[in-house]
Amino acid sequence: MLDLNDLRLFALIVENKGIGRASRTLNQAKSTISRRLAALEYQLKASLIDRDRDDFTLTQKGEEVYQLSRTILEAGLLVEATLANEQTKLNGNINLSLSSLFVPVFTHIAAELTQTHPGIRLNIAVNDDTNIQAQDGYDLYWRAHGQQLADSALKQQKLARHPLQVVASPLYVKRKGLPYSPEALVHFDMLGFEHTQRTNQLSFSSGNSFTTTVDYLPKLRSANIDLLLHNVLASVGCAVLPAYSCAPYLANGLLVDILPDWQAESLTISLLKRPLAYQTPMVTTVSGLIERSVRQHFALVAKTEQGVATLLRPVAAKLSYTAPSIRLSPHDALQFMPETNVTSGENLMNPIFKAVGAAVIGASTLLSMPAYADDTPGPVVVYTNDFEDVLRDRFKTDTGRDAEIVQMSGGELLARIAAEASNPQWDIIIFNGSNALQALDDKGQLKRMVEPRNLANLNEIGQKQLPQTKAWFPIGLAASCVLAYRKDMTETPPASFEDLANEKYAGKVGMADPAVAAPAYPCVAQLFYAMGDEKARAMFGGYFNNGLRVFRTNGPVGRALEAGDISVALLTSQVAYTLKNKGAPIEILWPDNGAPGSVRGVGIQAKTKRPEAAQTFVEWMLEPTTQKYLQDSSGADGLFEATVTGAGRRADGPPEGSIYSVAPAAFAAKQEEAIKSWFADQAVR
């Protein structure tokens, strides 16, 4: 018969995500725990933990045993709790971690607990972190979050979804006007409620179920509701806030909903508890009070969907405006406040936003509102998988124009562009891979026959890579993959890409995923183009048979090589030379017939509303001073061969005269789906 103590030990190993952490939790030697785990596996005649993975992962059988173990242990502990008289008394400590949004609400809960159950002692921590783990030590976690919480051994109970809305003070509306759509928020000073991991996008939905995603780069972010309300009431900007926190200010006219026909993506309100085995009557009591408070304090429950309440916007009071009369409040950060006549809430939509909304604010306000036309001179929006923030300030300094930079990995960037195909949010794209630019051109998403005034600046590299359609312009060239190897770990260095299929490199080779990392696909595409489809598939198939390790992007590949987790890598020249320059014990093999190359290019969105600013940006990228600046200020990204005369090159990069072999953009674009699909199939075999 199985020893239930071994099942309990296994459950603790799982909940601590490894033997090492379980050892520290139980204060037992790792060898003892490992031996007992091995004995349990022997008795069950099954492996419970996948020891071939770098991270802690259960086998399918291990997952089954864990679930059964938890059921057995919870039943046993529940019997103990029922029989133990002290467990039935509401007397002791409760440790609660809650999001800052709920601090005002918890005042009511604390008052009720102290009056009804004086034996309960509350230990409260205010924390908006969404990476919650059972070993953090709290009995309950009360969270507001926008995205799914990290996996843990805790039991998550979703209590409700609560809307976010965009609000501003009447004075700010008078000064800046009203946004005609969520996309127009780029012209407003945004303040953001940091309720979850930082994001640069925000989704909105309208009453007819139409959704749109817009750039979200607030000038001030905070999880502190009081701080945000203080600033939005003081007319610093408009804010994306939980409807609950805005309700009283909307009711008395201090705030107005500036996008009443749109609702930002909702928060989820969740309660997380330790497994049933660790729950006491005190925990159950506090949980019940929290659930009741959510229903009482977070607006009206409209409907339920799969057991989760969906909460309506709070009812806004009807405002009656004549002329905007302003009075000064010297003792408050609310420097100006319009006089309003407040009546009872009669309508879910404030009349200020009805068809006669402009007249409601008054003729003087209407005249002061900015009109947003298609050629609005806002910041040019640049989507890029390189350079990040080094572009913005220098572009402003050199041209006097503003730019908003949106940076992400190549795969994520292309997915975002595809999602926005019917309503593009970008003006400029900078991408490391001519195949992607060619594909965008083929789909009509790039403006063709652009004529930069300084096109003659292109050097031999630039002229060779310039497409006939002039839909994009080369701004740099680098090796998409060279062979980098640890000289202290490699007895016989590889002489070619084909060598990596040799069994002596088994499990020691790594590369980036061509479906995610922008430069990785040009590497694979060039090898397919140069070798032919059959030979290339045979070579990469040999890699996978030999235990090739595929990382998300080139950065993790370089770190794995530097740490000695792998000894050979197909790596961009930029990352490889950066590692070598910092003293890593690596050597770089540059194939005699040239390394696969990747061309970085810049193009203009076909339907841009800022064609003049977009062309200015392209011309700026074709200036030698700009390319020299990017080389000097962009770290590894700056190790590229310039495409314009006069920019020079960095001495710490590939040697002068290095040969680059770039697959024709048309070939790479046409074969992209087939090659990436085949590669992915091999990776999951």
Side-chain angles (χ1 to χ4, degrees):
M1 180 177 176
L2 287 174
D3 188 337
L4 295 183
N5 287 320
D6 286 339
L7 292 177
R8 176 177 179 273
L9 176 64
F10 176 62
L12 287 171
I13 292 172
V14 174
E15 291 166 4
N16 283 275
K17 296 187 180 301
I19 292 173
R21 290 180 179 177
S23 169
R24 292 189 291 273
T25 299
L26 296 172
N27 196 26
Q28 291 186 16
K30 288 172 62 176
S31 58
T32 300
I33 296 176
S34 181
R35 190 165 53 249
R36 288 179 61 185
L37 173 62
L40 177 62
E41 289 178 315
Y42 178 79
Q43 190 171 5
L44 294 173
K45 301 295 187 292
S47 176
L48 303 179
I49 296 174
D50 189 349
R51 292 171 173 82
D52 293 329
R53 294 282 297 271
D54 293 335
D55 55 345
F56 180 82
T57 306
L58 294 177
T59 63
Q60 182 177 353
K61 183 62 68 175
E63 183 65 41
E64 295 172 1
V65 172
Y66 171 67
Q67 296 301 332
L68 291 171
S69 299
R70 291 286 354 141
T71 301
I72 294 170
L73 293 173
E74 288 173 2
L77 289 170
L78 185 60
V79 170
E80 291 181 0
T82 302
L83 296 177
N85 186 51
E86 65 274 11
Q87 291 293 327
T88 63
K89 297 178 181 178
L90 298 183
N91 183 19
N93 295 324
I94 286 287
N95 300 316
L96 171 65
S97 173
L98 72 159
S99 295
S100 57
L101 175 65
F102 304 128
V103 170
V105 179
F106 192 75
T107 303
H108 303 277
I109 297 175
E112 181 171 343
L113 282 171
T114 54
Q115 294 172 14
T116 309
H117 307 289
I120 293 180
R121 295 180 294 276
L122 299 169
N123 299 316
I124 308 301
V126 179
N127 192 331
D128 291 280
D129 186 10
T130 56
N131 185 17
I132 305 167
Q133 299 299 325
Q135 59 266 31
D136 291 345
Y138 293 95
D139 300 300
L140 291 167
Y141 302 80
W142 188 9
R143 286 291 187 269
H145 55 98
Q147 297 174 352
Q148 195 156 358
L149 296 175
D151 291 338
S152 75
L154 296 165
K155 307 287 187 180
Q156 180 182 359
Q157 181 183 3
K158 295 181 180 179
L159 302 180
R161 280 185 286 274
H162 188 70
L164 297 172
Q165 59 191 124
V166 188
V167 296
S169 71
L171 179 64
Y172 187 83
V173 171
K174 177 181 178 182
R175 188 171 73 240
K176 297 287 288 187
L178 295 170
Y180 54 84
S181 70
E183 287 80 5
L185 290 175
V186 297
H187 306 294
F188 289 73
D189 304 305
M190 296 296 296
L191 315 176
F193 176 52
E194 190 69 17
H195 56 279
T196 183
Q197 65 187 45
R198 185 162 295 181
T199 178
N200 290 330
Q201 286 186 300
L202 196 63
S203 295
F204 286 84
S205 59
S206 66
N208 60 6
S209 300
F210 177 78
T211 60
T212 184
T213 301
V214 300
D215 288 341
Y216 179 58
L217 299 168
K219 295 186 176 182
L220 186 155
R221 295 178 189 255
S222 178
N224 189 302
I225 292 295
D226 289 338
L227 174 66
L228 291 169
L229 283 170
H230 185 88
N231 280 275
V232 73
L233 288 166
S235 302
V236 173
C238 55
V240 182
L241 295 177
Y244 153 75
S245 63
C246 307
Y249 302 97
L250 290 168
N252 63 23
L254 295 178
L255 292 179
V256 290
D257 186 345
I258 63 174
L259 283 173
D261 294 331
W262 295 87
Q263 180 176 298
E265 53 196 16
S266 298
L267 293 172
T268 298
I269 299 176
S270 291
L271 191 62
L272 291 91
K273 312 172 187 178
R274 294 169 67 80
L276 179 63
Y278 300 100
Q279 293 180 30
T280 65
M282 286 190 301
V283 171
T284 302
T285 298
V286 175
S287 297
L289 288 175
I290 289 175
E291 292 178 39
R292 194 171 72 203
S293 294
V294 169
R295 292 193 297 270
Q296 290 176 346
H297 295 282
F298 286 85
L300 301 174
V301 179
K303 60 181 179 179
T304 59
E305 180 182 341
Q306 296 179 346
V308 181
T310 299
L311 304 179
L312 286 175
R313 289 182 146 162
V315 176
K318 181 177 180 180
L319 303 184
S320 174
Y321 275 77
T322 53
S325 174
I326 308 297
R327 68 172 183 265
L328 183 66
S329 176
H331 302 295
D332 200 299
L334 305 175
Q335 297 176 343
F336 297 97
M337 188 183 304
E339 292 182 353
T340 61
N341 299 318
V342 182
T343 60
S344 61
E346 297 177 358
N347 199 319
L348 285 175
M349 183 182 294
N350 191 317
I352 191 173
F353 298 109
K354 290 186 178 179
V356 294
V360 179
I361 299 179
S364 61
T365 305
L366 177 63
L367 292 174
S368 68
M369 290 184 185
Y372 296 115
D374 284 351
D375 56 354
T376 298
V380 63
V381 179
V382 182
Y383 282 10
T384 177
N385 65 334
D386 280 327
F387 302 133
E388 301 184 23
D389 291 335
V390 301
L391 295 170
R392 182 186 299 108
D393 294 341
R394 184 59 177 255
F395 180 65
K396 174 75 171 179
T397 299
D398 289 351
T399 68
R401 295 179 181 269
D402 291 319
E404 290 291 345
I405 311 299
V406 179
Q407 191 272 339
M408 58 190 71
S409 73
E412 293 168 334
L413 196 63
L414 295 177
R416 176 165 177 170
I417 289 174
E420 296 175 354
S422 61
N423 186 23
Q425 302 299 304
W426 55 283
D427 301 299
I428 290 286
I429 182 171
I430 297 175
F431 200 87
N432 194 357
S434 55
N435 58 289
L437 296 166
Q438 175 74 40
L440 291 174
D441 185 17
D442 292 342
K443 295 174 183 175
Q445 293 182 279
L446 294 181
K447 187 176 181 181
R448 290 186 168 186
M449 303 314 296
V450 177
E451 292 290 342
R453 57 170 177 76
N454 55 354
L455 187 59
N457 284 354
L458 288 178
N459 60 19
E460 184 179 353
I461 294 174
Q463 292 173 7
K464 184 178 180 180
Q465 300 299 331
L466 179 67
Q468 290 184 345
T469 60
K470 293 183 182 177
W472 59 272
F473 300 87
I475 57 172
L477 174 65
S480 54
C481 60
V482 294
L483 285 174
Y485 62 90
R486 286 284 298 261
K487 56 187 179 182
D488 58 335
M489 297 174 60
T490 310
E491 294 183 6
T492 308
S496 67
F497 290 106
E498 291 91 334
D499 286 353
L500 300 186
N502 192 299
E503 61 181 9
K504 64 185 175 184
Y505 301 113
K508 300 178 180 179
V509 180
M511 68 174 291
D513 187 344
V516 178
Y521 176 67
C523 166
V524 177
Q526 167 56 22
L527 292 171
F528 267 74
Y529 177 74
M531 301 176 68
D533 188 84
E534 184 177 347
K535 288 184 178 179
R537 291 187 183 223
M539 183 182 74
F540 279 103
Y543 289 2
F544 283 108
N545 291 334
N546 212 24
L548 174 69
R549 295 181 60 184
V550 179
F551 297 79
R552 180 175 170 78
T553 59
N554 278 278
V557 180
R559 290 191 289 273
L561 183 65
E562 185 178 22
D565 294 336
I566 56 176
S567 58
V568 186
L570 284 79
L571 202 56
T572 65
S573 58
Q574 295 161 306
V575 175
Y577 281 93
T578 298
L579 290 175
K580 188 171 183 179
N581 293 335
K582 66 186 286 190
I586 70 168
E587 289 293 343
I588 299 170
L589 174 66
W590 200 280
D592 293 336
N593 58 347
S598 180
V599 180
R600 182 186 288 115
V602 58
I604 299 175
Q605 195 257 114
K607 298 178 181 178
T608 178
K609 297 179 182 179
R610 304 177 183 89
E612 183 184 350
Q615 180 148 333
T616 298
F617 190 93
V618 170
E619 292 171 348
W620 178 70
M621 292 297 298
L622 296 180
E623 286 295 320
T625 53
T626 302
Q627 293 200 11
K628 184 68 167 63
Y629 164 73
L630 293 178
Q631 287 176 331
D632 294 341
S633 61
S634 302
D637 287 343
L639 288 169
F640 63 85
E641 304 284 348
T643 59
V644 297
T645 303
R649 56 192 307 280
R650 275 173 49 173
D652 56 346
E656 192 167 0
S658 296
I659 300 173
Y660 300 83
S661 300
V662 181
F667 169 86
K670 183 178 180 180
Q671 300 298 322
E672 184 168 5
E673 183 177 354
I675 291 176
K676 285 184 177 180
S677 296
W678 178 85
F679 196 96
D681 290 342
Q682 304 307 302
V684 298
R685 285 188 310 172

